[in-house]
Amino acid sequence: MSNFFDSARFARLWRAHWAESWRDYAWFVGIMAMINLISILISFTTDTERTFSQFHFGSQVQWYVGGLLVSAMVFSGRYFKHMVNPGASLITLMRPASVFEKWLLAFVFIGILFPLAYTVGYMLMNYPAVQLAKASYITPSLCESCSLAQQDFGFYIPFITSEMGKTGADVQRFIKMQIFFMLFLTAGQAVIAGGTVFFKRSPVLRTVLTLFLLAIFMAWIGCFPQLGIFASLNDDVLVPQGLAEYGLSIGLWLGLPVLLWAALFFHLKEREVS
């Protein structure tokens, strides 16, 4: 068992990784914070009608989801960037730790800590902006009683804000949407991280190119993943009927991230023995 996982050895691996990478993480966080701050300033300075639609509840959800999706994919691609250098790659692979421990460290940083850090940063930077927008909002003079005058500035917190407030959207549908996004996100992170380990030369470029060609092939043959248990997100798609369909759908959307993260484990193992 100690060859597979040892807590003391994992702690040493964690400290070594953090000592080597904290500057890169700080740089990445700084760039993200700067982009977010610039976006906030642009939103305030260009909204001449002072309706601040960018800070309405629905827009906050889109802002959070879009920012997390893009930044998480970039972060996943950068986590194993040192493996492009043969010398650094050799040092990393020979570091005293099992393949599982190296994989677990990657999963913790990519799949858990980054979304949490992004969410905390988003809340700290965007909450004051939303409150300022709410205080500065001016009801249109010709629309005192219409829906535009009742904008929702409730602050969005993932999985804690359980309803869409004044928008009247279905609570269950909203929660399903968030779960689906998180499953899609972790699957995408695993694909990007796995590709950067699998390809030894130009890993990011080859991973993106592979995904692009796969998307073209799927569009050509008319094959697209079905939402299954999340079909209620789209009223035009039928919700699966029967236990068998529900079982297959759950197996797909829960099994896909598991399979992709498992693939990363075997890619790391292959690089270590090669």
Side-chain angles (χ1 to χ4, degrees), residues 57 152 160-167 169-171 174-175 178:
F57 187 87
D152 185 6
I160 296 179
T161 307
S162 60
E163 56 183 278
M164 297 287 281
K166 296 177 183 178
T167 61
D170 180 65
V171 175
F174 185 48
I175 294 175
Q178 295 178 88

Side-chain angles (χ1 to χ4, degrees), residues 1-18 79 95-109 112-113:
M1 181 66 181
S2 61
N3 292 331
F4 188 71
F5 179 78
D6 181 86
S7 59
R9 189 172 57 195
F10 180 75
R12 289 194 295 269
L13 179 63
W14 177 292
R15 289 193 295 268
H17 174 80
W18 181 254
Y79 182 84
R95 183 170 288 160
S98 67
V99 176
F100 174 76
E101 289 163 353
K102 296 171 185 175
W103 173 88
L104 181 61
L105 187 70
F107 176 75
V108 169
F109 271 91
I112 298 178
L113 291 183

Side-chain angles (χ1 to χ4, degrees), residues 57 61-62 65 156 159 161-164 167-182 227-237 239:
F57 187 87
V61 176
Q62 297 176 8
V65 167
Y156 171 65
F159 294 103
T161 307
S162 60
E163 56 183 278
M164 297 287 281
T167 61
D170 180 65
V171 175
Q172 184 179 7
R173 175 180 174 178
F174 185 48
I175 294 175
K176 276 187 175 183
M177 179 179 68
Q178 295 178 88
I179 295 174
F180 178 78
F181 170 72
M182 289 303 174
L227 289 177
I229 58 175
F230 301 101
S232 59
L233 298 180
N234 188 339
D235 296 332
D236 297 329
V237 180
V239 178

